Amino acid sequence: SLEALLSKIPPKSLSDKELHKRQDTLSNLKSKTKQMATSFNMSNFANREDLLGQNKKAADDMSRVAGLDNQGIVGLQRQIMKEQDEGLEKLEETVLSTKHIALAVNEELTLHTRLIDDLEDHVDVTNSRLQRVQKRLAILNKRTKGGCSCMCLLLSVVAIVILAVIVWLLIKYM
């Protein structure tokens, strides 16, 4: 319908450049439509085959039954049921294996969760200790900012040295 509309446009109403641009856009839309239709048809076909098996299977089943009497058909049905039972047993093994793997993964996750919780507790304890030390350092920093404590400490050391010298002199000269 777009092609019909494009062909009905009077030639003088659009420039050649605009006409070519619209034709190119239309051809791009056509190719995209074809690509989408192809991929849609292929994906439906592939999914149907995956789910139901190929269409040849129905014809194959008919050819298997064609020359059999009632006993033969019953035997064929038993054989088919036996094959289905074997398939179900394999499926059961796979499900059990998957179950064991899921249980092992669950145990591993439980262990990791416990380890992470323990780590979180240790981090909390360490964080509280670090905060206490930071508070003490802040208090010490405030005390040393006045310069008084450093100066007092220095004067105390000098006084102790002078007293030690005086005591030594008194002991020596007495």
Side-chain angles (χ1 to χ4, degrees):
S1 64
L2 287 175
E3 284 180 332
L5 289 173
L6 189 59
S7 65
K8 289 180 182 178
I9 294 176
K12 303 254 180 185
S13 64
L14 294 176
S15 66
D16 287 337
K17 185 177 180 180
E18 182 65 24
L19 184 63
H20 288 294
K21 181 180 172 185
R22 289 184 184 191
Q23 287 173 344
D24 289 341
T25 305
L26 184 61
S27 66
N28 285 337
L29 286 173
K30 280 183 183 179
S31 65
K32 286 182 183 179
T33 304
K34 287 180 183 177
Q35 287 175 350
M36 289 175 64
T38 304
S39 66
F40 180 71
N41 288 338
M42 291 302 255
S43 65
N44 283 346
F45 184 68
N47 288 338
R48 183 171 184 213
E49 282 185 2
D50 288 343
L51 293 173
L52 303 175
Q54 296 178 348
N55 290 338
K56 295 177 185 176
K57 194 168 189 174
D60 190 32
D61 289 342
M62 291 301 286
S63 67
R64 289 172 70 181
V65 176
L68 299 176
D69 59 352
N70 287 341
Q71 293 292 337
I73 291 175
V74 170
L76 180 63
Q77 287 177 342
R78 286 185 181 150
Q79 180 185 357
I80 291 172
M81 287 191 320
K82 183 179 177 183
E83 290 172 2
Q84 289 175 345
D85 287 343
E86 290 172 359
L88 288 173
E89 287 173 2
K90 289 180 183 178
L91 182 62
E92 181 185 20
E93 290 174 8
T94 304
V95 169
L96 286 175
S97 173
T98 304
K99 177 186 173 185
H100 292 302
I101 291 170
L103 290 173
V105 168
N106 184 34
E107 289 177 18
E108 191 74 21
L109 285 174
T110 304
L111 173 67
H112 284 260
T113 302
R114 257 188 284 128
L115 289 174
I116 288 173
D117 288 342
D118 290 345
L119 181 63
E120 183 180 4
D121 292 341
H122 290 305
V123 167
D124 288 341
V125 169
T126 304
N127 187 28
S128 64
R129 287 180 184 171
L130 183 61
Q131 287 177 350
R132 278 186 271 145
V133 169
Q134 285 177 336
K135 287 179 184 176
R136 289 180 186 166
L137 283 174
I139 292 169
L140 183 63
N141 192 20
K142 286 181 184 177
R143 288 182 183 170
T144 58
K145 278 189 178 176
C148 179
S149 65
C150 287
M151 188 61 112
C152 290
L153 185 63
L154 183 62
L155 289 176
S156 299
V157 171
V158 170
I160 292 172
V161 170
I162 290 174
L163 285 174
V165 170
I166 290 174
V167 169
W168 182 71
L169 287 174
L170 285 174
I171 293 175
K172 186 178 177 183
Y173 290 112
M174 282 215 187

